[in-house]
Amino acid sequence: METSTSSDFVIQFWGVRGSIPTPGKDTVRYGGNTSCIEMHIGGKRLIFDGGTGLQELSKDLMRDLPPETYMFFPHYHWDHIQGFPFFMPAFVKDHRLHIYGTLPQNGDSLEKHFIERVLHPNSPIPLAGMQADLKFTHIVCGDTFEMDDITFQTGHLNHPNNAMGYRVNWQGHSVFYCTDTEHYPDRLDENVLELAQGADMLIYDAMYTDEEYNNPKAPKVGWGHSTWEEGVRIAKAAGVKTLVVFHHEPSHSDDFLDALDLEVKAAFPNSVLAREGMMLPVY
């Protein structure tokens, strides 16, 4: 099998923050936009999540808009969709926008959910202005599907109202996008561990430290997010090459994250804290 080079498979980070945007002087270096990443794979640009980072991505796309774009949603909490009503390619006539995601609980169809619950109540812009050709693909969590020579594996994540992880495989390389998820107190999450096995890169919901998560005065147990320490445990158990700490907690300043970066690297040397604008090749 032909193997790709670093320029063929690149991850670009447009929004790395969780829960709520945090602009300001204390988040300049890592960024304050909510979740949005892009995978450049063999000429395709695949978008995962539509947080506020999607706005900067859409500006970049509009400079040389491809005929089709592809968006994948792990779930539909506000911090993962709030950039979509302002996604500029959606307003371009004859542009084709593919939207992939799970069907929410009690949902009739992905298209109906997206238009009536994601767009209609949240967008100040008339829906009629979205002139792109919207194509919706409902994914059953746990399914494997293909797009040309790219293979996608999906799995359940432990998060309120459910969420889905995506492992993306291409020409012998793989990236597991694992946000949002909460670990279990007595074992490694089997679904996460399975999708992380041997991955070149694990992008992990490490919103908290173990100390924050278990703080008896203000515990985060049950909030649907994990810790960087758990990310390290998963990465080691699964034989992951690179761990990316992602979905930073809103109160974590640049200085806090700089100090955290040293701790993470001491525990797992081949690790990176996600920053807006960062591009990582997949080897």
Side-chain angles (χ1 to χ4, degrees):
M1 176 185 294
E2 181 184 355
T3 57
S4 62
T5 64
S6 61
S7 61
D8 296 322
F9 196 167
V10 176
I11 311 303
Q12 188 163 4
F13 294 82
W14 295 94
V16 302
R17 192 70 56 168
S19 296
I20 189 170
T22 54
K25 61 182 177 60
D26 294 328
T27 59
V28 172
R29 295 197 302 276
Y30 288 87
N33 281 306
T34 57
S35 299
C36 181
I37 74 164
E38 186 180 16
M39 299 191 188
H40 301 250
I41 307 178
K44 286 188 173 62
R45 300 180 66 169
L46 311 181
I47 302 165
F48 290 79
D49 271 325
T52 56
L54 184 64
Q55 178 67 1
E56 288 302 313
L57 168 55
S58 70
K59 293 178 185 177
D60 188 73
L61 275 169
M62 292 299 291
R63 294 187 183 101
D64 185 19
L65 185 64
E68 298 181 276
T69 51
Y70 306 84
M71 299 188 69
F72 300 82
F73 288 90
H75 67 307
Y76 307 102
H77 284 162
W78 183 228
D79 55 325
H80 295 259
I81 63 170
Q82 59 198 156
F84 186 81
F86 306 95
F87 183 55
M88 288 183 280
F91 297 90
V92 176
K93 187 177 181 181
D94 298 325
H95 180 72
R96 177 164 290 183
L97 174 57
H98 299 268
I99 298 173
Y100 297 78
T102 58
L103 186 63
Q105 293 175 334
N106 304 318
D108 295 325
S109 72
L110 181 60
E111 180 176 4
K112 184 176 181 181
H113 168 79
F114 219 87
I115 291 175
E116 294 185 0
R117 296 187 181 180
V118 174
L119 288 176
H120 180 65
N122 300 316
S123 177
I125 302 168
L127 296 184
M130 285 197 167
Q131 299 185 54
D133 180 16
L134 304 182
K135 298 293 184 181
F136 295 87
T137 300
H138 169 215
I139 302 169
V140 176
C141 191
D143 278 0
T144 296
F145 61 99
E146 295 183 350
M147 179 190 297
D148 298 329
D149 58 346
I150 305 170
T151 300
F152 301 81
Q153 296 168 267
T154 63
H156 174 75
L157 301 180
N158 182 31
H159 192 69
N161 306 120
N162 295 321
M164 182 169 64
Y166 290 88
R167 175 172 171 141
V168 183
N169 308 277
W170 182 71
Q171 293 195 3
H173 295 292
S174 57
V175 173
F176 178 21
Y177 184 54
C178 184
T179 184
D180 298 4
T181 195
E182 182 168 359
H183 59 277
Y184 297 105
D186 57 344
R187 68 189 189 280
L188 296 178
D189 187 320
E190 296 88 350
N191 294 318
V192 172
L193 192 60
E194 180 180 354
L195 287 177
Q197 283 296 324
D200 292 295
M201 187 180 296
L202 167 62
I203 303 170
Y204 190 72
D205 171 12
M207 192 162 181
Y208 307 118
T209 66
D210 275 353
E211 183 179 4
E212 288 173 323
Y213 181 78
N214 295 302
N215 184 349
K217 294 183 179 180
K220 305 298 184 183
V221 177
W223 287 32
H225 300 287
S226 192
T227 70
W228 72 263
E229 290 96 334
E230 186 69 13
V232 167
R233 289 188 280 269
I234 288 285
K236 288 181 176 179
V240 168
K241 290 183 181 178
T242 300
L243 170 66
V244 181
V245 171
F246 182 75
H247 205 271
H248 304 314
E249 212 279 336
S251 67
H252 288 176
S253 67
D254 288 333
D255 291 343
F256 182 98
L257 292 174
D258 281 344
L260 187 69
D261 190 29
L262 298 176
E263 289 189 66
V264 178
K265 281 185 168 58
F268 194 84
N270 200 20
S271 62
V272 181
L273 260 66
R275 297 173 181 250
E276 280 184 33
M278 183 173 68
M279 300 182 73
L280 295 177
V282 180
Y283 295 103

